[in-house]
Amino acid sequence: LFNSAIENENLKNVVDSYLAQRRDAFGRINWEYERKLLNNSHELPIGEADVQRQLIGQLQTRCEAIQSTPKGTFNFYGGLSGEFVRVNWSDCPKEQLDDVLQLIEGTIYKSQSITTSDVRELLLILANIVRTASAEFVKAVAELAHKVIEQTPEVYDNSFSGGPLSGFTITKDVKNEIKYAVARMVSRLYRVVDTTEQKYFQKWAISEVCTTEPLNLNCFSTLFLYMYFLGNEDVKEKAICGLQIIFVRVQQGEGLTSVLGSLYSVLENTKKNNSNVQSLILKEHQALLECLNKFIEMSYNYPDPEVRAGCALIVRTCDLLGWHIDFGEKVKLKLRNDARARVRKIFEE
């Protein structure tokens, strides 16, 4: 709801009313903070420190519940990680963040009946905090990510293989929730960790990309693009290799829409954060452009309009960077005259 209202001004009043009702019903401070963000108002009396404390309190309650769950049983918990993403954690006291990390690591590795969903949720909370946290905290989270990769937490398996009426049937969007969370963590950590950790994550990414679940491919595409832009020639080669593997996999229809979205997001961020755009137009990027051309050729005439929209975003960004795609005007003309407005409007923005 919140994200929809950010994109569509007409929905703001509806979402603001909903958040106010949630606040009145549950008394949680972060609902008011969401209203503040939604309305871009500085008149509401809720500061980020208040929201930080409340979210950490909710996390502590969740971890205590997980830790106290008897062995061989499990509980259902609602999602909490998404509430950590819109808060700026850069000014959160170091002691508080250290306690958060210690609490999460202890819960993951010492609880006697933690589920894969619990581990996923806790790791995603850290992935959302590191977006704005200090370099010192990011380093500590990277060490935990390294640990989870090397030492998979022992979890309680709450899946059930019996008959349809003899137990819970739990449907999940991914088969391995821990690997999903790690992929998201690494894609966010890579830009801000030191060279040693980057080398470790590079090796891990190359070893995982061939077999990772389709839902994770967007995280790997993000990671490989940052490897390309931040790395030396050897790292760039590895990044192109990884992107080519992803290209082969999405040809089978595995996660193409989300991969295109990730490629666009990194290209757009690179354009915005590079004051000298000319440095992005050098011939040294020819290998990357050839790789992007493959994604564009495959997707500009794709049956799914979401895929074509993702393609249009990449084409427009490449155009703004001065990167000339092989199909040039043919592709742009096709997308500008697409049957779906969601595709056409990208060139009108």
Side-chain angles (χ1 to χ4, degrees):
L1 281 171
F2 183 91
N3 290 338
S4 297
I6 291 295
E7 295 176 3
N8 187 341
E9 189 76 21
N10 296 328
L11 294 176
K12 279 194 173 182
N13 289 337
V14 176
V15 177
D16 182 68
S17 174
Y18 171 76
L19 291 172
Q21 291 175 22
R22 299 287 289 182
R23 176 205 59 194
D24 295 340
F26 297 99
R28 281 164 53 179
I29 229 169
N30 52 299
W31 293 111
E32 188 70 3
Y33 180 68
E34 297 278 5
R35 294 183 70 204
K36 177 181 175 181
L37 290 178
L38 182 67
N39 295 297
N40 195 25
S41 168
H42 299 289
E43 299 176 2
L44 298 173
I46 304 302
E48 290 196 349
D50 298 316
V51 184
Q52 289 169 356
R53 283 192 293 271
Q54 175 153 322
L55 288 177
I56 291 173
Q58 290 176 244
L59 171 62
Q60 187 168 10
T61 301
R62 172 74 57 86
C63 288
E64 289 172 354
I66 294 171
Q67 291 172 7
S68 62
T69 301
K71 188 173 183 178
T73 63
F74 67 95
N75 292 306
F76 290 107
Y77 300 106
L80 181 60
S81 60
E83 298 191 30
F84 283 74
V85 73
R86 298 187 188 98
V87 179
N88 188 331
W89 297 91
S90 60
D91 62 346
C92 187
K94 177 181 180 300
E95 297 76 17
Q96 284 190 29
L97 287 181
D98 288 344
D99 289 345
V100 165
L101 182 58
Q102 186 176 4
L103 175 65
I104 288 178
E105 183 173 1
T107 302
I108 288 174
Y109 281 100
K110 295 179 181 178
S111 299
Q112 57 183 347
S113 195
I114 189 170
T115 67
T116 56
S117 298
D118 295 331
V119 176
R120 164 183 166 167
E121 191 69 11
L122 295 176
L123 292 178
L124 289 180
I125 285 173
L126 291 176
N128 287 335
I129 293 177
V130 298
R131 293 161 68 103
T132 53
S134 67
E136 187 176 359
F137 182 73
V138 168
K139 181 179 179 181
V141 173
E143 291 173 357
L144 177 59
H146 191 146
K147 180 179 179 180
V148 173
I149 290 171
E150 298 291 335
Q151 182 185 339
T152 305
E154 293 184 11
V155 296
Y156 172 71
D157 183 6
N158 59 6
S159 60
F160 191 78
S161 57
L165 302 179
S166 56
F168 283 111
T169 299
I170 300 173
T171 302
K172 300 178 181 180
D173 52 356
V174 289
K175 295 177 182 176
N176 191 318
E177 295 183 89
I178 297 177
K179 285 191 174 183
Y180 166 80
V182 169
R184 294 189 70 84
M185 286 181 74
V186 172
S187 68
R188 291 179 181 174
L189 287 167
Y190 185 83
R191 287 172 288 169
V192 287
V193 294
D194 59 31
T195 306
T196 301
E197 284 294 346
Q198 283 185 344
K199 287 181 178 178
Y200 175 80
F201 290 145
Q202 290 164 15
K203 183 178 179 181
W204 169 82
I206 291 295
S207 68
E208 286 284 322
V209 67
C210 289
T211 57
T212 192
E213 293 180 55
L215 194 64
N216 300 342
L217 289 175
N218 65 326
C219 298
F220 281 86
S221 58
T222 296
L223 176 57
F224 288 131
L225 264 189
Y226 279 122
M227 280 172 56
Y228 181 89
F229 283 122
L230 299 175
N232 57 29
E233 289 305 313
D234 181 54
V235 176
K236 288 182 189 297
E237 279 189 29
K238 293 178 182 177
I240 294 298
C241 176
L243 288 171
Q244 288 173 339
I245 291 171
I246 291 175
F247 173 75
V248 171
R249 292 198 58 185
V250 296
Q251 281 183 302
Q252 312 303 317
E254 298 182 331
L256 177 57
T257 304
S258 59
V259 166
L260 292 174
S262 294
L263 293 174
Y264 160 71
S265 179
V266 177
L267 289 172
E268 182 68 13
N269 287 338
T270 302
K271 179 173 68 69
K272 286 181 179 178
N273 296 330
N274 196 306
S275 57
N276 181 14
V277 176
Q278 292 300 316
S279 68
L280 297 175
I281 310 176
L282 301 177
K283 290 183 179 179
E284 66 183 78
H285 295 305
Q286 190 60 34
L288 175 60
L289 186 53
E290 289 175 1
C291 192
L292 291 176
N293 273 324
K294 291 181 180 180
F295 283 96
I296 291 168
E297 182 183 13
M298 175 177 59
S299 57
Y300 83 96
N301 205 26
Y302 206 80
D304 186 348
E306 291 295 336
V307 170
R308 300 198 302 274
C311 176
L313 287 168
I314 293 176
V315 170
R316 189 192 65 172
T317 304
C318 286
D319 215 27
L320 294 173
L321 287 169
W323 290 359
H324 300 295
I325 58 176
D326 287 347
F327 312 98
E329 294 306 316
K330 172 187 173 183
V331 169
K332 283 186 280 187
L333 183 64
K334 177 72 172 63
L335 295 171
R336 284 178 186 275
N337 295 289
D338 195 274
R340 294 298 186 93
R342 74 184 78 173
V343 181
R344 297 194 304 270
K345 73 176 184 179
I346 289 169
F347 292 96
E348 301 168 1
E349 294 174 351

